mmCIF file with all atom_site columns, all heavy atoms in Angstrom:
data_model
loop_
_atom_site.group_PDB
_atom_site.id
_atom_site.type_symbol
_atom_site.label_atom_id
_atom_site.label_alt_id
_atom_site.label_comp_id
_atom_site.label_asym_id
_atom_site.label_entity_id
_atom_site.label_seq_id
_atom_site.pdbx_PDB_ins_code
_atom_site.Cartn_x
_atom_site.Cartn_y
_atom_site.Cartn_z
_atom_site.occupancy
_atom_site.B_iso_or_equiv
_atom_site.pdbx_formal_charge
_atom_site.auth_seq_id
_atom_site.auth_comp_id
_atom_site.auth_asym_id
_atom_site.auth_atom_id
_atom_site.pdbx_PDB_model_num
ATOM 1   N N   . GLU R 1 242 ? -13.335 14.192 -11.593 1.00 94.00 ? 490 GLU R N   1
ATOM 2   C CA  . GLU R 1 242 ? -14.535 13.375 -11.718 1.00 94.00 ? 490 GLU R CA  1
ATOM 3   C C   . GLU R 1 242 ? -15.475 13.525 -10.530 1.00 94.00 ? 490 GLU R C   1
ATOM 4   O O   . GLU R 1 242 ? -16.670 13.230 -10.644 1.00 94.00 ? 490 GLU R O   1
ATOM 5   C CB  . GLU R 1 242 ? -14.153 11.904 -11.877 1.00 94.00 ? 490 GLU R CB  1
ATOM 6   C CG  . GLU R 1 242 ? -13.463 11.304 -10.668 1.00 94.00 ? 490 GLU R CG  1
ATOM 7   C CD  . GLU R 1 242 ? -13.087 9.841  -10.872 1.00 94.00 ? 490 GLU R CD  1
ATOM 8   O OE1 . GLU R 1 242 ? -13.364 9.310  -11.969 1.00 94.00 ? 490 GLU R OE1 1
ATOM 9   O OE2 . GLU R 1 242 ? -12.522 9.235  -9.948  1.00 94.00 ? 490 GLU R OE2 1
ATOM 10  N N   . GLU R 1 243 ? -14.970 13.998 -9.389  1.00 92.00 ? 491 GLU R N   1
ATOM 11  C CA  . GLU R 1 243 ? -15.836 14.183 -8.233  1.00 92.00 ? 491 GLU R CA  1
ATOM 12  C C   . GLU R 1 243 ? -16.875 15.276 -8.470  1.00 92.00 ? 491 GLU R C   1
ATOM 13  O O   . GLU R 1 243 ? -17.847 15.384 -7.720  1.00 92.00 ? 491 GLU R O   1
ATOM 14  C CB  . GLU R 1 243 ? -15.001 14.492 -6.990  1.00 92.00 ? 491 GLU R CB  1
ATOM 15  C CG  . GLU R 1 243 ? -14.129 15.726 -7.106  1.00 92.00 ? 491 GLU R CG  1
ATOM 16  C CD  . GLU R 1 243 ? -13.096 15.809 -5.995  1.00 92.00 ? 491 GLU R CD  1
ATOM 17  O OE1 . GLU R 1 243 ? -13.142 14.966 -5.076  1.00 92.00 ? 491 GLU R OE1 1
ATOM 18  O OE2 . GLU R 1 243 ? -12.233 16.701 -6.060  1.00 92.00 ? 491 GLU R OE2 1
ATOM 19  N N   . HIS R 1 244 ? -16.685 16.083 -9.513  1.00 94.00 ? 492 HIS R N   1
ATOM 20  C CA  . HIS R 1 244 ? -17.649 17.124 -9.860  1.00 94.00 ? 492 HIS R CA  1
ATOM 21  C C   . HIS R 1 244 ? -18.679 16.647 -10.890 1.00 94.00 ? 492 HIS R C   1
ATOM 22  O O   . HIS R 1 244 ? -19.568 17.417 -11.271 1.00 94.00 ? 492 HIS R O   1
ATOM 23  C CB  . HIS R 1 244 ? -16.937 18.349 -10.426 1.00 94.00 ? 492 HIS R CB  1
ATOM 24  C CG  . HIS R 1 244 ? -16.144 19.112 -9.413  1.00 94.00 ? 492 HIS R CG  1
ATOM 25  N ND1 . HIS R 1 244 ? -16.734 19.927 -8.466  1.00 94.00 ? 492 HIS R ND1 1
ATOM 26  C CD2 . HIS R 1 244 ? -14.807 19.169 -9.186  1.00 94.00 ? 492 HIS R CD2 1
ATOM 27  C CE1 . HIS R 1 244 ? -15.787 20.458 -7.706  1.00 94.00 ? 492 HIS R CE1 1
ATOM 28  N NE2 . HIS R 1 244 ? -14.623 20.013 -8.114  1.00 94.00 ? 492 HIS R NE2 1
ATOM 29  N N   . LEU R 1 245 ? -18.573 15.413 -11.329 1.00 95.00 ? 493 LEU R N   1
ATOM 30  C CA  . LEU R 1 245 ? -19.447 14.931 -12.404 1.00 95.00 ? 493 LEU R CA  1
ATOM 31  C C   . LEU R 1 245 ? -20.924 15.085 -12.055 1.00 95.00 ? 493 LEU R C   1
ATOM 32  O O   . LEU R 1 245 ? -21.720 15.571 -12.872 1.00 95.00 ? 493 LEU R O   1
ATOM 33  C CB  . LEU R 1 245 ? -19.127 13.461 -12.707 1.00 95.00 ? 493 LEU R CB  1
ATOM 34  C CG  . LEU R 1 245 ? -19.926 12.814 -13.844 1.00 95.00 ? 493 LEU R CG  1
ATOM 35  C CD1 . LEU R 1 245 ? -19.688 13.537 -15.155 1.00 95.00 ? 493 LEU R CD1 1
ATOM 36  C CD2 . LEU R 1 245 ? -19.549 11.337 -13.981 1.00 95.00 ? 493 LEU R CD2 1
ATOM 37  N N   . THR R 1 246 ? -21.324 14.694 -10.841 1.00 93.00 ? 494 THR R N   1
ATOM 38  C CA  . THR R 1 246 ? -22.741 14.762 -10.484 1.00 93.00 ? 494 THR R CA  1
ATOM 39  C C   . THR R 1 246 ? -23.242 16.212 -10.368 1.00 93.00 ? 494 THR R C   1
ATOM 40  O O   . THR R 1 246 ? -24.442 16.450 -10.471 1.00 93.00 ? 494 THR R O   1
ATOM 41  C CB  . THR R 1 246 ? -23.001 14.020 -9.153  1.00 93.00 ? 494 THR R CB  1
ATOM 42  O OG1 . THR R 1 246 ? -22.136 14.544 -8.135  1.00 93.00 ? 494 THR R OG1 1
ATOM 43  C CG2 . THR R 1 246 ? -22.734 12.532 -9.310  1.00 93.00 ? 494 THR R CG2 1
ATOM 44  N N   . ASN R 1 247 ? -22.325 17.173 -10.160 1.00 96.00 ? 495 ASN R N   1
ATOM 45  C CA  . ASN R 1 247 ? -22.745 18.573 -10.114 1.00 96.00 ? 495 ASN R CA  1
ATOM 46  C C   . ASN R 1 247 ? -23.276 19.045 -11.469 1.00 96.00 ? 495 ASN R C   1
ATOM 47  O O   . ASN R 1 247 ? -24.039 20.020 -11.540 1.00 96.00 ? 495 ASN R O   1
ATOM 48  C CB  . ASN R 1 247 ? -21.565 19.470 -9.711  1.00 96.00 ? 495 ASN R CB  1
ATOM 49  C CG  . ASN R 1 247 ? -21.156 19.290 -8.262  1.00 96.00 ? 495 ASN R CG  1
ATOM 50  O OD1 . ASN R 1 247 ? -21.975 18.951 -7.415  1.00 96.00 ? 495 ASN R OD1 1
ATOM 51  N ND2 . ASN R 1 247 ? -19.883 19.497 -7.970  1.00 96.00 ? 495 ASN R ND2 1
ATOM 52  N N   . THR R 1 248 ? -22.887 18.347 -12.527 1.00 96.00 ? 496 THR R N   1
ATOM 53  C CA  . THR R 1 248 ? -23.293 18.740 -13.877 1.00 96.00 ? 496 THR R CA  1
ATOM 54  C C   . THR R 1 248 ? -24.806 18.700 -14.034 1.00 96.00 ? 496 THR R C   1
ATOM 55  O O   . THR R 1 248 ? -25.374 19.482 -14.797 1.00 96.00 ? 496 THR R O   1
ATOM 56  C CB  . THR R 1 248 ? -22.632 17.820 -14.916 1.00 96.00 ? 496 THR R CB  1
ATOM 57  O OG1 . THR R 1 248 ? -21.228 17.730 -14.648 1.00 96.00 ? 496 THR R OG1 1
ATOM 58  C CG2 . THR R 1 248 ? -22.833 18.351 -16.325 1.00 96.00 ? 496 THR R CG2 1
ATOM 59  N N   . LEU R 1 249 ? -25.474 17.805 -13.313 1.00 95.00 ? 497 LEU R N   1
ATOM 60  C CA  . LEU R 1 249 ? -26.928 17.711 -13.403 1.00 95.00 ? 497 LEU R CA  1
ATOM 61  C C   . LEU R 1 249 ? -27.589 19.024 -13.011 1.00 95.00 ? 497 LEU R C   1
ATOM 62  O O   . LEU R 1 249 ? -28.362 19.605 -13.784 1.00 95.00 ? 497 LEU R O   1
ATOM 63  C CB  . LEU R 1 249 ? -27.429 16.572 -12.512 1.00 95.00 ? 497 LEU R CB  1
ATOM 64  C CG  . LEU R 1 249 ? -28.936 16.503 -12.236 1.00 95.00 ? 497 LEU R CG  1
ATOM 65  C CD1 . LEU R 1 249 ? -29.717 16.426 -13.538 1.00 95.00 ? 497 LEU R CD1 1
ATOM 66  C CD2 . LEU R 1 249 ? -29.259 15.334 -11.334 1.00 95.00 ? 497 LEU R CD2 1
ATOM 67  N N   . ARG R 1 250 ? -27.314 19.511 -11.817 1.00 96.00 ? 498 ARG R N   1
ATOM 68  C CA  . ARG R 1 250 ? -27.925 20.757 -11.350 1.00 96.00 ? 498 ARG R CA  1
ATOM 69  C C   . ARG R 1 250 ? -27.484 21.940 -12.203 1.00 96.00 ? 498 ARG R C   1
ATOM 70  O O   . ARG R 1 250 ? -28.296 22.797 -12.559 1.00 96.00 ? 498 ARG R O   1
ATOM 71  C CB  . ARG R 1 250 ? -27.574 21.000 -9.880  1.00 96.00 ? 498 ARG R CB  1
ATOM 72  C CG  . ARG R 1 250 ? -28.214 20.008 -8.901  1.00 96.00 ? 498 ARG R CG  1
ATOM 73  C CD  . ARG R 1 250 ? -27.725 20.264 -7.489  1.00 96.00 ? 498 ARG R CD  1
ATOM 74  N NE  . ARG R 1 250 ? -28.394 19.423 -6.500  1.00 96.00 ? 498 ARG R NE  1
ATOM 75  C CZ  . ARG R 1 250 ? -28.044 18.170 -6.216  1.00 96.00 ? 498 ARG R CZ  1
ATOM 76  N NH1 . ARG R 1 250 ? -27.030 17.619 -6.865  1.00 96.00 ? 498 ARG R NH1 1
ATOM 77  N NH2 . ARG R 1 250 ? -28.691 17.470 -5.298  1.00 96.00 ? 498 ARG R NH2 1
ATOM 78  N N   . GLN R 1 251 ? -26.207 21.977 -12.528 1.00 96.00 ? 499 GLN R N   1
ATOM 79  C CA  . GLN R 1 251 ? -25.705 23.089 -13.326 1.00 96.00 ? 499 GLN R CA  1
ATOM 80  C C   . GLN R 1 251 ? -26.343 23.114 -14.711 1.00 96.00 ? 499 GLN R C   1
ATOM 81  O O   . GLN R 1 251 ? -26.692 24.176 -15.235 1.00 96.00 ? 499 GLN R O   1
ATOM 82  C CB  . GLN R 1 251 ? -24.184 22.998 -13.426 1.00 96.00 ? 499 GLN R CB  1
ATOM 83  C CG  . GLN R 1 251 ? -23.494 23.240 -12.089 1.00 96.00 ? 499 GLN R CG  1
ATOM 84  C CD  . GLN R 1 251 ? -22.039 22.829 -12.064 1.00 96.00 ? 499 GLN R CD  1
ATOM 85  O OE1 . GLN R 1 251 ? -21.408 22.642 -13.110 1.00 96.00 ? 499 GLN R OE1 1
ATOM 86  N NE2 . GLN R 1 251 ? -21.489 22.661 -10.867 1.00 96.00 ? 499 GLN R NE2 1
ATOM 87  N N   . GLY R 1 252 ? -26.531 21.936 -15.302 1.00 95.00 ? 500 GLY R N   1
ATOM 88  C CA  . GLY R 1 252 ? -27.159 21.864 -16.620 1.00 95.00 ? 500 GLY R CA  1
ATOM 89  C C   . GLY R 1 252 ? -28.604 22.339 -16.596 1.00 95.00 ? 500 GLY R C   1
ATOM 90  O O   . GLY R 1 252 ? -29.054 23.047 -17.509 1.00 95.00 ? 500 GLY R O   1
ATOM 91  N N   . LEU R 1 253 ? -29.346 21.971 -15.562 1.00 95.00 ? 501 LEU R N   1
ATOM 92  C CA  . LEU R 1 253 ? -30.742 22.408 -15.437 1.00 95.00 ? 501 LEU R CA  1
ATOM 93  C C   . LEU R 1 253 ? -30.827 23.934 -15.308 1.00 95.00 ? 501 LEU R C   1
ATOM 94  O O   . LEU R 1 253 ? -31.684 24.577 -15.923 1.00 95.00 ? 501 LEU R O   1
ATOM 95  C CB  . LEU R 1 253 ? -31.387 21.743 -14.227 1.00 95.00 ? 501 LEU R CB  1
ATOM 96  C CG  . LEU R 1 253 ? -31.684 20.244 -14.347 1.00 95.00 ? 501 LEU R CG  1
ATOM 97  C CD1 . LEU R 1 253 ? -32.043 19.665 -12.990 1.00 95.00 ? 501 LEU R CD1 1
ATOM 98  C CD2 . LEU R 1 253 ? -32.793 19.982 -15.361 1.00 95.00 ? 501 LEU R CD2 1
ATOM 99  N N   . ILE R 1 254 ? -29.932 24.502 -14.510 1.00 96.00 ? 502 ILE R N   1
ATOM 100 C CA  . ILE R 1 254 ? -29.929 25.954 -14.318 1.00 96.00 ? 502 ILE R CA  1
ATOM 101 C C   . ILE R 1 254 ? -29.587 26.669 -15.624 1.00 96.00 ? 502 ILE R C   1
ATOM 102 O O   . ILE R 1 254 ? -30.248 27.648 -16.003 1.00 96.00 ? 502 ILE R O   1
ATOM 103 C CB  . ILE R 1 254 ? -28.932 26.335 -13.200 1.00 96.00 ? 502 ILE R CB  1
ATOM 104 C CG1 . ILE R 1 254 ? -29.442 25.835 -11.847 1.00 96.00 ? 502 ILE R CG1 1
ATOM 105 C CG2 . ILE R 1 254 ? -28.727 27.851 -13.161 1.00 96.00 ? 502 ILE R CG2 1
ATOM 106 C CD1 . ILE R 1 254 ? -28.395 25.889 -10.746 1.00 96.00 ? 502 ILE R CD1 1
#
Side-chain angles (χ1 to χ4, degrees):
E490 65 181 0
E491 59 193 354
H492 290 285
L493 182 61
T494 55
N495 290 331
T496 311
L497 167 57
R498 292 176 175 83
Q499 292 166 17
L501 288 168
I502 292 167

